């Protein structure tokens, strides 16, 4: 990781504290992974569900965010699975496996203390929800946690994203997020992206869901738009926040 990281110019202007350590006070990665780290110790086993190529290991991100996400060497074991064989190149994993849609997770019952799915649930099809949730719970040990960060279906970003056909997502993201690579864009389904859907997917489990609003990076590069959105989101109820953080605990 580089100590020369410089935060996005819009973020630095709108959130001047980002010049101290490279992240704003509403940085979603830092908030989400700080909470996950609170669940881990040196004996923990972690599964990165939908780990992909580990873009954050090679792309410019705040060093603090990268340190929080890099579990390898700080816990006992880190595995990763994905439908894309790019996961085999992910340097943050002790073990990586390619798993097709609908296939079982190739680990024994109760293998992991924490399963993490970072911006993955929005890609799960409705027909696969029951199988995905059951497999996650199966590989968790009793008392273990499933942690997910995903768009809120009823947040303003989720509503806007669903208004754009999947076939056009790449073109639209090139405009609003020009630094995002094509290989990191996938079709969205929004079958596990509301509190009701999540509680239905994990019956009998302790399900904790709360909203989070980060920097308005989805609104292009216009600083005036960023400032307007930054003010407006302060009046949006937390249940309508663009992102939800999900923590599901398997009963002891």
């Amino acid at each position: 990781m580089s100590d020369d990281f410089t935060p996005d110019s819009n973020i630095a202007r709108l959130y001047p504290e980002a010049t101290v350590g490279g992240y704003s006070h509403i940085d979603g990665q830092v908030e989400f992974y700080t909470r996950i780290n609170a669940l881990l110790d040196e004996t923990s086993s972690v599964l990165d569900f939908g780990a992909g190529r580990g873009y954050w290991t090679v792309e410019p991100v705040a060093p603090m965010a990268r340190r929080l996400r890099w579990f390898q060497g700080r816990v006992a074991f880190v595995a990763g699975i994905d439908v894309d064989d790019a996961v085999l190149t992910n340097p943050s994993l002790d073990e990586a496996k390619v798993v097709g849609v609908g296939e079982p997770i190739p680990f024994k019952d109760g293998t992991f203390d924490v399963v993490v799915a970072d911006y993955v649930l929005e890609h799960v099809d409705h027909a696969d929800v029951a199988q995905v949730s059951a497999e996650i719970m199966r590989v968790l040990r009793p008392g273990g946690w499933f942690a997910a960060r995903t768009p809120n279906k009823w947040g303003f970003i989720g509503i806007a994203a669903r208004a754009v056909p999947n076939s056009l997502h790449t073109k639209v993201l090139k405009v609003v997020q020009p630094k995002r690579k094509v290989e990191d864009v996938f079709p969205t389904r929004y079958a596990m992206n509301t509190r009701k859907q999540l509680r239905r997917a994990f019956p009998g489990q302790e399900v904790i869901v709360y909203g989070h609003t980060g920097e308005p990076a989805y609104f292009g590069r216009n600083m005036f738009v960023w400032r307007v959105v930054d003010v407006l989101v302060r009046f949006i109820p937390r249940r309508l926040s663009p992102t939800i953080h999900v923590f599901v605990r398997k009963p002891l």
Side-chain angles (χ1 to χ4, degrees):
M1 65 189 69
S2 172
D3 292 328
D4 299 325
F5 172 81
T6 301
D8 178 273
S9 59
N10 276 9
I11 291 177
R13 289 173 62 189
L14 194 57
Y15 311 102
E17 74 276 6
T19 60
V20 184
Y23 65 95
S24 76
H25 70 284
I26 57 173
D27 187 289
Q29 285 194 92
V30 171
E31 200 286 329
F32 180 59
Y33 282 96
T34 294
R35 196 169 299 280
I36 291 173
N37 274 264
L39 304 174
L40 302 173
D41 60 31
E42 67 277 4
T43 69
S44 300
S45 293
V46 179
L47 175 64
D48 191 338
F49 184 87
R53 67 187 179 97
Y55 79 91
W56 55 272
T57 67
V58 293
E59 301 293 334
V61 299
M64 174 56 74
R66 184 176 282 130
R67 282 195 291 271
L68 289 169
R69 293 189 72 157
W70 202 299
F71 305 126
Q72 190 182 51
R74 297 191 291 110
V75 300
F77 177 62
V78 185
I81 61 172
D82 202 282
V83 297
D84 193 324
D85 61 9
V87 71
L88 302 176
T89 68
N90 189 321
S92 70
L93 306 173
D94 295 317
E95 183 175 354
K97 295 187 178 184
V98 179
V99 180
V101 175
E103 294 181 0
I105 297 174
F107 291 96
K108 295 179 180 179
D109 297 4
T111 298
F112 299 101
D113 298 283
V114 176
V115 176
V116 180
D118 196 2
Y119 287 113
V120 174
L121 296 187
E122 64 272 22
H123 306 297
V124 177
D125 207 334
H126 288 77
D128 299 318
V129 170
Q131 187 265 349
V132 167
S133 58
E135 279 295 289
I136 288 171
M137 288 296 107
R138 180 185 65 78
V139 299
L140 273 175
R141 68 166 178 79
W145 288 91
F146 170 54
R149 181 169 61 143
T150 191
N152 179 3
K153 182 177 181 179
W154 302 119
F156 58 88
I157 292 176
I159 292 173
R162 284 183 289 121
V164 178
N166 277 316
S167 60
L168 298 178
H169 275 194
T170 299
K171 292 181 180 179
V172 172
L173 284 171
K174 279 185 178 179
V175 176
V176 299
Q177 291 185 312
K179 294 182 180 180
R180 190 168 178 180
K181 295 189 175 182
V182 173
E183 57 263 40
D184 297 323
V185 180
F186 306 95
T188 52
R189 308 301 182 197
Y190 294 98
M192 299 180 74
N193 295 82
T194 69
R195 288 165 174 79
K196 184 176 181 179
Q197 288 175 334
L198 289 161
R199 292 193 172 100
R200 185 182 300 149
F202 297 99
Q205 323 294 328
E206 180 182 1
V207 180
I208 298 167
V209 182
Y210 62 95
H212 183 270
T213 301
E215 303 96 346
Y218 271 90
F219 292 88
R221 302 295 308 154
N222 187 294
M223 190 61 192
F224 173 76
V225 174
W226 275 49
R227 291 187 184 279
V228 170
V229 173
D230 181 63
V231 172
L232 290 178
V233 295
R234 301 177 192 180
F235 300 96
I236 295 176
R238 201 173 187 190
R239 293 183 68 86
L240 299 180
S241 297
T243 303
I244 51 176
H245 293 185
V246 182
F247 290 85
V248 181
R249 192 177 192 186
K250 183 174 181 177
L252 291 168

